Amino acid sequence: MTLIDTKQPNGASATTAAARPTVFVDGASGTTGLGIRERLSEQSDVVLKSIADDKRKDAGAKRELMEEVDLVILCLPDDASRETVALVDDMGNRAPKVLDASTAFRVAPDWTYGFPELTSDQAAKIRVARKVSNPGCYPTGGIALLRPLVDAGIIPVDYPITINAVSGYSGGGKQMIASFEDGTAPSFELYGLSFEHKHLPETQLYSNLTRRPIFVPSVGNYRQGMLVSVPLHLDTLPGKPAAADLHTALAQRYADSTYVSVKPLDNEAAKGGRIEPEALNETNQLELYVFASPKYPQAVLVARLDNLGKGASGAAVQNMRLMLGFAD
């Protein structure tokens, strides 16, 4: 597979082998772990450490390896992540930094949320953090759209938000991937209709919303790529803002961002009235759109990203580099 724009910017490619920080990816056989390892294989300024397959569940062997590395990236189920973090907590000053890709710690008060673009000082917080939780793919899009508008007072904190989203099947784990690839899965389906999707708590918390959003995710019969959309009735918002007001708030928030871009109101997708989810695959980019019509007081906010890139592995490598002191 050819990777595009996955090597994070840095000025340390000439770092000597002895000085290079060391990283252990625990759970490297899943989609996120594999994506991280593939991205790290393109970087010359970190050393990737591994554990033998027959030692993966050996707590003693894992602890011994973690004592030798600067940072461990956990790509494990929630319970396994908690067990490994308990090991790290018991290591004292020999403990590595931890970047967790599960949902286990995303709303934990003693963990730093790994969305560097969340606020102007979030990247700085990640740089000095010992424990960072990598965001979920859907929340990355939803929070990126909502947080600047809530901070600007355009969307009230108690506004009834609905978030719709579609992802490729690679975000659903091994069982879902197998069902789509063997042809037994439907072409398209809604899910999370119990209103208990695991991404809801972090979406609400980091969007600064006091009212729980309605979140309706879906999966399509394609491998990767994601659209997250938020419909808004502009005439129900305080001050009845225009689409240009929403766009300005988003553009100002991400003006200096390397990976998040806000597309012009008159972009090609807006002219055609449609947008597809796969354009950013194999990148760490996130695009934000405001779709609106001069005829109706309505708008649809849309985030486009690769659910395996900025939604998972790409974001993890971005966070890893911040935690190790490299440029973001």
Side-chain angles (χ1 to χ4, degrees):
M1 176 170 63
T2 301
L3 292 178
I4 305 169
D5 191 35
T6 54
K7 189 169 184 178
Q8 314 296 319
N10 68 85
S13 59
T15 306
T16 63
R20 286 184 293 170
T22 52
V23 177
F24 166 44
V25 182
D26 190 5
S29 62
T31 52
T32 298
L34 288 171
I36 292 169
R37 290 185 67 92
E38 193 162 6
R39 285 162 170 80
L40 292 183
S41 71
E42 293 195 332
Q43 300 188 9
S44 59
D45 47 12
V46 295
V47 176
L48 190 60
K49 298 285 189 176
S50 300
I51 193 168
D53 287 344
D54 62 343
K55 298 290 186 181
R56 287 191 303 110
K57 296 185 178 181
D58 183 327
K62 183 185 290 189
R63 176 175 178 142
E64 184 177 344
L65 177 57
M66 290 194 297
E67 288 179 344
E68 299 175 357
V69 301
D70 297 294
L71 184 144
V72 57
I73 304 176
L74 304 180
C75 302
L76 302 168
D78 286 10
D79 287 344
S81 279
R82 293 186 184 99
E83 291 174 2
T84 302
V85 170
L87 278 178
V88 172
D89 288 342
D90 192 47
M91 290 166 59
N93 59 11
R94 298 179 68 90
K97 292 186 174 184
V98 181
L99 173 61
D100 181 55
S102 79
T103 62
F105 303 102
R106 288 182 185 159
V107 296
D110 55 340
W111 284 65
T112 300
Y113 193 58
F115 183 32
E117 298 85 2
L118 180 67
T119 58
S120 60
D121 62 348
Q122 192 67 16
K125 292 178 180 178
I126 294 169
R127 285 187 185 280
V128 299
R130 301 294 304 179
K131 297 177 180 178
V132 174
S133 56
N134 211 52
C137 50
Y138 290 125
T140 295
I143 294 165
L145 292 168
L146 292 168
R147 179 63 179 265
L149 302 180
V150 173
D151 286 351
I154 294 173
I155 293 179
V157 295
D158 62 347
Y159 191 78
I161 290 290
T162 297
I163 303 170
N164 302 296
V166 61
S167 174
Y169 59 77
S170 59
K174 292 182 179 180
Q175 185 174 350
M176 178 178 285
I177 292 171
S179 67
F180 274 94
E181 294 186 344
D182 68 16
T184 59
S187 296
F188 178 88
E189 64 179 350
L190 299 179
Y191 66 104
L193 297 176
S194 64
F195 299 91
E196 295 289 349
H197 193 279
K198 64 182 182 178
H199 287 169
L200 266 167
E202 64 181 293
T203 301
Q204 179 180 357
L205 178 64
Y206 296 108
S207 295
N208 268 357
L209 296 171
T210 59
R211 184 191 296 264
R212 185 179 176 89
I214 293 175
F215 175 46
V216 186
S218 59
V219 59
N221 191 12
Y222 65 97
R223 179 166 176 79
Q224 66 195 84
M226 173 174 286
L227 297 173
V228 180
S229 59
V230 179
L232 293 171
H233 288 275
L234 301 181
D235 56 350
T236 68
L237 294 170
K240 299 182 179 181
D245 298 319
L246 278 62
H247 185 272
T248 296
L250 292 171
Q252 288 177 345
R253 171 61 63 89
Y254 302 112
D256 299 322
S257 175
T258 300
Y259 298 111
V260 182
S261 59
V262 181
K263 297 304 177 183
L265 284 170
D266 61 347
N267 63 80
E268 291 303 314
K271 292 175 182 177
R274 61 180 63 190
I275 186 170
E276 58 88 16
E278 298 177 274
L280 298 180
N281 285 0
E282 309 303 344
T283 81
N284 195 47
Q285 298 298 315
L286 169 62
E287 293 178 346
L288 305 181
Y289 295 80
V290 177
F291 293 95
S293 166
K295 187 176 180 180
Y296 308 106
Q298 299 171 331
V300 178
L301 312 175
V302 178
R304 174 161 64 183
L305 64 155
D306 179 0
N307 58 287
L308 298 182
K310 185 61 169 165
S313 303
V317 172
Q318 182 184 356
N319 283 318
M320 178 209 75
R321 296 191 66 79
L322 287 168
M323 295 174 74
L324 293 176
F326 296 118
D328 63 350

